[in-house]
Amino acid sequence: MSRPIGVFDSGIGGLTVVRELQKLMPRENIVYFGDTARLPYGSKSDTLIRRYSLENALFLNSKLAKIIVIACNTASASSATFLQGILKLPVVGVVESGASVAARTTKNKRVGVIGTKSTVRSQAYSTCISRIDPTIRTFEVATPLLVHLVEENWVDRDITREILRDYLSPLIAKGVDALILGCTHYPLLKNAIHSVTDGITLIDSSKEIAYHVSNMMSEYGLLTNTEAPGTTSVYLSDETNDFANWSMKVLGRGITPDIVDHDRHVFSG
Ligand code: DGL
């Protein structure tokens, strides 16, 4: 059996990344770890998020992952460089993928970013974008309520559009022409965001990271040569009532997750 692509997220939102990986590389096996016992990451310190990210990556390593994909924007912002420095596997973070597409997309060199408090505090998107093109100005806004609205499935309500208008007005006032959806949950709000951001190109980081991963796997010779359709296994660190609905909504089918005792797996193999 060919080794899987390892994907982790603070919870189940990262299935939006799995969906794009499956679409792009249907023959690849995927192993997903969602740290549902310890989410949300978005309000935690960098030190703690880095420790959790390392533990998640080691868990995926124990499942023989050939590449680690950090689907979580918050974990990617604080831990991608750290993990790239210490793991022997290639590590791809969602921030670098979104940043490079935003830099290519903006025409007026003004990019907006929405994400969790931690992602915005880290300024990882601004740093990454200015490394690519120092003439681009990046404006970041924390939008912590949006995760909850998506989890409640309030994606098509007037109140959600009202909250979006409020959150996005400073970015619209800055004249951004590209907006990075810097959180696993936000692709599911695309229609609502479109309806309040006329003329702004939305950058769906879950799509972009899938392209980035596929290019990197081809560069490193990691693409599978089997013909059979790939499988997806899901591990969570705690039970989540909504998982069946969520996987149906995002992946179009129900998956039964395995619940793992995170500490035992990471520290005793
Ligand atoms: N997965 C997180 C992200 O993409 C959102 C949820 C959380 O705060 O843990 O930033």
Side-chain angles (χ1 to χ4, degrees), residues 9-14 38-44 71-75 94 115-117 119 147 151 182-186:
D9 178 40
S10 56
I12 57 180
R38 305 190 289 194
L39 93 155
Y41 283 13
S43 51
K44 298 209 163 63
C72 177
N73 283 257
T74 305
V94 72
T116 63
K117 286 183 182 167
T119 298
V147 164
E151 284 182 356
C183 176
T184 43
H185 291 54
Y186 301 173

Side-chain angles (χ1 to χ4, degrees), residues 45-61:
S45 70
D46 284 354
T47 315
L48 198 57
I49 299 166
R50 235 171 265 153
R51 198 188 94 203
Y52 290 173
S53 298
L54 177 59
E55 291 171 0
N56 300 342
L58 292 177
F59 173 76
L60 294 173
N61 190 38

Side-chain angles (χ1 to χ4, degrees), residues 182-248:
C183 176
T184 43
H185 291 54
Y186 301 173
L188 297 167
L189 279 173
K190 240 193 223 168
N191 289 343
I193 297 175
H194 254 308
S195 71
V196 301
T197 54
D198 204 21
I200 298 179
T201 305
L202 303 185
I203 313 244
D204 176 347
S205 40
S206 63
K207 258 199 174 61
E208 305 314 335
I209 194 172
Y211 289 119
H212 193 150
V213 171
S214 141
N215 290 340
M216 196 147 168
M217 283 172 53
S218 122
E219 194 182 310
Y220 281 71
L222 293 175
L223 291 168
T224 185
N225 46 24
T226 55
E227 290 301 327
T231 60
T232 296
S233 332
V234 174
Y235 295 87
L236 302 177
S237 53
D238 193 13
E239 282 168 28
T240 301
N241 289 341
D242 291 343
F243 188 79
N245 285 342
W246 187 265
S247 78
M248 196 51 98

Side-chain angles (χ1 to χ4, degrees), residues 107-214:
K107 302 226 167 18
N108 69 359
K109 304 219 178 254
R110 286 173 167 257
V111 172
V113 179
I114 51 174
T116 63
K117 286 183 182 167
S118 168
T119 298
V120 167
R121 190 183 56 229
S122 73
Q123 297 200 315
Y125 275 107
S126 305
T127 310
C128 218
I129 290 172
S130 66
R131 219 180 287 132
I132 300 166
D133 179 347
T135 67
I136 296 176
R137 293 191 64 196
T138 304
F139 305 94
E140 305 200 32
V141 169
T143 51
L145 290 177
L146 301 186
V147 164
H148 307 290
L149 292 170
V150 172
E151 284 182 356
E152 289 301 319
N153 204 17
W154 284 25
V155 294
D156 189 24
R157 296 213 179 183
D158 287 341
I159 189 156
T160 302
R161 283 182 280 275
E162 202 48 51
I163 290 169
L164 283 168
R165 251 178 233 115
D166 207 284
Y167 272 147
L168 297 174
S169 59
L171 297 177
I172 293 171
K174 293 286 182 197
V176 303
D177 68 351
L179 176 67
I180 298 178
L181 309 181
C183 176
T184 43
H185 291 54
Y186 301 173
L188 297 167
L189 279 173
K190 240 193 223 168
N191 289 343
I193 297 175
H194 254 308
S195 71
V196 301
T197 54
D198 204 21
I200 298 179
T201 305
L202 303 185
I203 313 244
D204 176 347
S205 40
S206 63
K207 258 199 174 61
E208 305 314 335
I209 194 172
Y211 289 119
H212 193 150
V213 171
S214 141

